[in-house]
Amino acid sequence: MTRSARSVMEELEDIVIAYGQSDEFSFVFKRTSTWFKRRASKLMTHVASQFSSSYVFYWKVFFGEQPLLYPPGFDGRVVLYPSNHNLRDYLSWRQADCHINNLYNTVFWTLVQKGGLTTAQAEDRLKGTLAADKNEILFSEFDINYNTEPALHRKGTTLIWEKRDETVIKRKKLPSGEEKDVAATRSRRRVQAHHCDIIGEQFWEEHPDVLEDDNC
């Protein structure tokens, strides 16, 4: 999923940030984007088709010879948010949903796989429980501290553009006529993945250039 999302961002460079969890990804175009003359249908279909084709294209990289059993498809919709505040509220909602779903699934499958319950029994056990109750089940019954579970699953994946220095070897011709390999460092923008909190201020303070100002 993340590799497919990265492919979408590399194809549509006006996407400034993407957030993914479970079977979905959200893509944010910069406020001043003029891609496809800002036609919602064009933006949506291009993102969905690029994501779907990338999912198939990179399948073997992650799953080897395990066959893809049916053609995957992804739908989408376009939403226009009036301000960065509204946009961040949306992204925060998606990450909060990631936490709720992953905590439930972690406890549910732990009860089934380690606790010996059936899926129906596990579902019944968790009815009406709060986050604190689920954390207590994991810790007291299975010695699992949910906060030490992989951040990828607890926080989801945030993709942004960042500059990275890379070293390349170039063949240079010397005055003597000889050729020599010379290392050269250059800075390039690449899509980088983060598994961190995006609800609070720290992420946005560390990456102030992700979102354009509201008055652009």
Side-chain angles (χ1 to χ4, degrees):
M1 292 290 289
T2 300
R3 183 63 188 88
S4 300
R6 180 179 285 112
S7 176
V8 172
M9 290 185 67
E10 291 168 347
E11 179 70 18
L12 300 172
E13 294 185 6
D14 270 7
I15 295 174
V16 293
I17 184 171
Y19 176 76
Q21 55 109 354
S22 185
D23 62 348
E24 64 179 48
F25 249 96
S26 300
F27 298 93
V28 178
F29 284 81
K30 68 181 183 181
R31 177 182 294 276
T32 55
S33 177
T34 57
W35 278 76
F36 304 117
K37 298 181 180 180
R38 299 177 69 86
R39 291 165 61 189
S41 59
K42 283 282 191 179
L43 293 169
M44 189 268 287
T45 53
H46 198 104
V47 168
S49 63
Q50 181 73 24
F51 195 98
S52 299
S53 61
S54 297
Y55 193 92
V56 174
F57 186 82
Y58 293 109
W59 175 268
K60 285 192 174 182
V61 175
F62 297 92
F63 297 102
E65 295 305 313
Q66 180 178 333
L68 189 60
L69 299 181
Y70 56 88
F74 296 89
D75 64 354
R77 66 182 184 274
V78 175
V79 180
L80 186 63
Y81 287 104
S83 70
N84 287 341
H85 178 78
N86 298 122
L87 174 61
R88 284 186 53 184
D89 279 349
Y90 166 76
L91 293 173
S92 296
W93 168 55
R94 299 318 305 140
Q95 187 165 69
D97 187 61
C98 172
H99 164 70
I100 293 169
N101 292 338
N102 186 66
L103 177 57
Y104 181 91
N105 288 330
T106 300
V107 184
F108 180 89
W109 288 109
T110 299
L111 287 170
V112 172
Q113 295 173 351
K114 295 184 178 181
L117 300 187
T118 65
T119 54
Q121 289 171 331
E123 183 178 359
D124 188 62
R125 172 79 187 278
L126 294 176
K127 281 182 181 177
T129 57
L130 303 176
D133 302 320
K134 296 181 179 69
N135 275 292
E136 181 61 25
I137 291 173
L138 286 174
F139 189 75
S140 63
E141 298 184 26
F142 301 99
D143 197 28
I144 295 174
N145 182 346
Y146 180 74
N147 291 325
T148 62
E149 291 294 292
L152 165 65
H153 305 306
R154 292 184 293 109
K155 301 293 186 182
T157 301
T158 303
L159 300 177
I160 59 174
W161 290 97
E162 291 185 290
K163 285 186 177 181
R164 288 287 188 269
D165 290 336
E166 62 178 30
T167 301
V168 295
I169 304 300
K170 293 186 176 181
R171 197 75 172 168
K172 185 177 182 180
K173 194 170 185 178
L174 302 177
S176 62
E178 296 182 38
E179 291 188 346
K180 182 181 179 181
D181 289 338
V182 178
T185 301
R186 62 184 180 185
S187 182
R188 295 187 63 180
R189 289 175 74 243
R190 293 191 178 278
V191 178
Q192 301 293 331
H194 296 263
H195 309 297
C196 62
D197 177 76
I198 59 172
I199 297 175
E201 296 299 323
Q202 183 175 346
F203 172 84
W204 303 101
E205 290 172 354
E206 291 176 353
H207 306 283
D209 298 329
V210 170
L211 299 180
E212 295 175 303
D213 292 336
D214 280 334
N215 59 3
C216 287

